[in-house]
Amino acid sequence: VSERTPNPDAPSHAARRAPATTSEDELVHTIRRLLSGNAPGVVLGPGDDAALVELRPWLTVLTVDMLVEDVDFETDTASPRDIGYKSVAMSVSDVAAMGGSPRYGLVALGLPPGTETRWVVELIGGMREAADEHGMSIVGGDLSRAERLVVSVTVVGEVATERAVRRSGARPGDRIVVTGTLGGAAGGLALSRSAPHRGATTEWGHALLARQFRPVARVGEGQSLAGANATAMIDISDGLAKDLGRLLRESGVGGVVRLVDVPVDPALQEGAVSLDVDPVALAMTGGEDFELLATLPADEVQEAAARLMERHGTPLTDIGEIREGSGLFAVGEDGDEQPLAEEGWDHFAG
Ligand SMILES: [Mg+2]
């Protein structure tokens, strides 16, 4: 065999240039290509020192989220595409909770040495997918080496001045309402961590995994709630009890929730026995549902619920009332009212 005979087992030229040897410049170029195709308003996208965009003379909404490997996500249960999608959806959800629209995004990545280009391409693909769904464009970013994967997404949005909804405006007598259903994301996490995946191939299993890995930011719903004179609003990222506690504190009021009215994710109801979880507990304390929690004047609730269903196909549920004073209380099935510590589901468990 002469030296010039091609050896079928030798790595091809393309393979030798594969991931580990990809330079940072090449990776940046690849990412830019994935992010090209700018939405209206982008004057200059990725590639210069900074992006240039147009914003309407409204209020500008700014938010940033950071996800750290093994703290906020696990690469053995979540795909890079899902991590990318979720990182954008999370920040978009914060814009939605102000009653705003997302317009532009910036991405910062910390990548451990040896991260495959393919992994990063999938991650960016998921980001692009979420950005496209919300009509926003990712206009720039930065890369650095890090000990663990770090994914940070900044979103710039806008909201008409009189339509911005804060956490701090709830008043005694307002109704407490929530979009969609709760507990599904926590159920999906429990399912993804169960071994073997109990029910992963069932319909409820698919639904729960989608809630965990493909959260939907309630942008249109947030605007509809703002239009229904919502007095306060927050997105549920850390669980109903905790996020409602935040809203009450910021507003300087108390609140009471009727547990029987809390909308538990139907897929969670169905899978609860297989997963060995308490569905109402997950609905109250499980995070990452990214539903919107708002307070509305009592006479707005019915019309707001009809509008959300008609425009977005999303249910709006009245779960309780704002009252004077402070603290979060829950009324159980027996009609008894008890204080609800933010993490303290124990009072109602069992
Ligand atoms: Mg939030």
Side-chain angles (χ1 to χ4, degrees):
V1 178
S2 94
E3 278 176 22
R4 289 175 188 275
T5 306
N7 176 356
D9 294 321
S12 72
H13 184 58
R16 273 186 278 117
R17 281 188 311 177
T21 60
T22 302
S23 74
E24 193 165 311
D25 278 354
E26 279 176 86
L27 191 52
V28 166
H29 183 77
T30 303
I31 291 172
R32 267 184 209 154
R33 212 155 22 80
L34 287 166
L35 295 177
S36 63
N38 291 321
V42 178
V43 178
L44 188 62
D48 210 307
D49 297 298
L52 296 172
V53 300
E54 288 172 343
L55 282 169
R56 281 183 274 194
W58 291 358
L59 289 179
T60 300
V61 187
L62 299 166
T63 185
V64 63
D65 267 300
M66 182 163 70
L67 298 175
V68 177
E69 183 179 14
D70 295 332
V71 178
D72 303 293
F73 64 88
E74 296 153 2
T75 50
D76 52 349
T77 51
S79 74
R81 189 162 273 270
D82 288 341
I83 294 165
Y85 185 94
K86 187 169 173 176
S87 66
V88 170
M90 284 172 71
S91 287
V92 169
S93 177
D94 280 323
V95 174
M98 304 305 291
S101 308
R103 297 292 309 277
Y104 311 109
L106 296 168
V107 174
L109 301 178
L111 303 175
T115 305
E116 291 185 16
T117 301
R118 200 175 28 183
W119 196 94
V120 180
V121 164
E122 283 295 304
L123 178 85
I124 301 292
M127 289 178 167
R128 178 79 203 257
E129 205 180 313
D132 286 350
E133 264 174 43
H134 293 294
M136 57 172 271
S137 40
I138 298 173
V139 293
D142 193 24
L143 278 183
S144 189
R145 293 283 160 214
E147 280 175 34
R148 294 182 193 189
L149 284 160
V150 179
V151 180
S152 177
V153 176
T154 299
V155 171
V156 178
E158 56 190 8
V159 61
T161 309
E162 68 282 4
R163 283 289 176 93
V165 186
R166 306 168 192 214
R167 295 179 180 181
S168 55
R171 300 163 310 188
D174 285 347
R175 305 304 305 176
I176 302 169
V177 296
V178 65
T179 62
T181 60
L182 300 174
L189 189 64
L191 173 57
S192 73
R193 286 175 171 170
S194 71
H197 289 190
R198 300 180 201 171
T201 57
T202 61
E203 212 165 300
W204 60 261
H206 283 297
L208 293 181
L209 292 173
R211 286 303 305 251
Q212 168 59 221
F213 295 117
R214 293 290 171 133
V216 177
R218 300 293 198 186
V219 175
E221 290 86 342
Q223 287 164 17
S224 291
L225 288 167
N229 298 315
T231 51
M233 189 150 63
I234 187 171
D235 66 321
I236 302 181
S237 52
D238 295 326
L240 173 61
K242 208 177 244 186
D243 289 317
L244 180 53
R246 289 175 174 140
L247 184 150
L248 297 177
R249 264 196 311 280
E250 290 297 319
S251 296
V253 292
V256 58
V257 166
R258 293 177 316 276
L259 293 179
V260 288
D261 291 334
V262 171
V264 177
D265 190 304
L268 178 61
Q269 300 268 32
E270 214 180 322
V273 173
S274 304
L275 293 171
D276 191 26
V277 294
D278 173 353
V280 183
L282 288 195
M284 290 300 291
T285 62
E288 301 192 306
D289 287 312
F290 299 107
E291 296 292 351
L292 294 176
L293 177 69
T295 55
L296 292 180
D299 57 5
E300 297 272 7
V301 174
Q302 218 180 340
E303 206 184 314
R307 200 172 310 136
L308 253 72
M309 186 50 76
E310 183 190 312
R311 284 191 194 165
H312 314 290
T314 304
L316 185 75
T317 310
D318 181 327
I319 59 169
E321 188 177 45
I322 297 295
R323 52 163 67 156
E324 283 181 34
S326 64
L328 173 57
F329 297 83
V331 177
E333 251 173 80
D334 51 8
D336 279 356
E337 185 179 309
Q338 294 191 45
L340 185 62
E342 285 174 21
E343 292 87 14
W345 177 251
D346 307 353
H347 297 292
F348 292 91

